[in-house]
């Protein structure tokens, strides 16, 4: 997982922020899907590495996931942004998120990163 996520930043398209992110998500069946961030001059249209990988996984039929690895050059290692946390929560808040950087790693459950997220249950209210 760390190797797959670690290779992805080299493929990132980050001409504006120069903040390259690699990401890997492991499906329940063991398949690993990687993603890299893809920036856009219209900043709001930028796709984070997490959402690129989730979209690839979903397109391949994966809907249940075990863990997530995000790799950046940041110290301390960066967690997924708020929008990505919300997208990931659609697939379960029990996911383990590991952030890896040049000076080590950090680990959280998704529910720790998004303690009161919006989900399908909120739509039924």
């Amino acid at each position: 997982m760390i190797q797959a996520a670690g290779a992805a930043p080299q493929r990132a398209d980050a001409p504006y922020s120069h903040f390259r992110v690699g990401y890997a998500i492991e499906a329940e069946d063991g398949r690993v899907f990687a993603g890299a961030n893809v920036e856009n001059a219209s900043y709001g249209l930028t796709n984070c590495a997490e959402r690129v990988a989730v979209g690839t996984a979903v397109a391949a039929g994966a809907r249940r996931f075990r863990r997530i690895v995000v790799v950046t050059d940041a110290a301390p290692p960066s967690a997924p942004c708020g929008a990505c946390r919300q997208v990931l929560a659609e697939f379960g808040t029990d996911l383990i998120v590991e952030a890896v950087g040049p000076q080590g790693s950090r680990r959280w459950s998704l529910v720790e990163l998004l303690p009161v997220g919006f989900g399908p249950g909120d739509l039924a209210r």
Side-chain angles (χ1 to χ4, degrees):
M1 289 278 296
I2 293 171
Q3 184 177 9
Q10 298 166 20
R11 296 185 301 269
D13 183 34
Y16 307 106
S17 73
H18 305 288
F19 187 72
R20 298 179 178 282
V21 179
Y23 178 84
I25 187 166
E26 181 183 14
E28 192 173 61
D29 62 10
R31 291 181 291 165
V32 174
F33 301 91
N37 54 318
V38 180
E39 293 182 350
N40 190 286
S42 176
Y43 297 142
L45 298 179
T46 291
N47 287 304
C48 294
E50 294 88 339
R51 287 181 274 154
V52 169
V54 167
T56 301
V58 168
R63 296 290 188 283
R64 298 186 52 84
F65 304 101
R66 290 185 199 166
R67 68 184 179 131
I68 298 156
V69 175
V70 59
V71 174
T72 66
D73 285 335
S78 299
C81 75
C84 288
R85 294 173 193 192
Q86 182 63 49
V87 168
L88 292 167
E90 279 292 306
F91 301 98
T93 55
D94 58 340
L95 290 169
I96 299 301
V97 178
E98 183 175 3
V100 178
Q103 296 178 3
S105 64
R106 303 191 305 176
R107 204 175 196 149
W108 309 269
S109 68
L110 187 56
V111 76
E112 288 177 285
L113 295 174
L114 188 68
V116 186
F118 183 85
D122 294 298
L123 295 174
R125 292 186 185 166

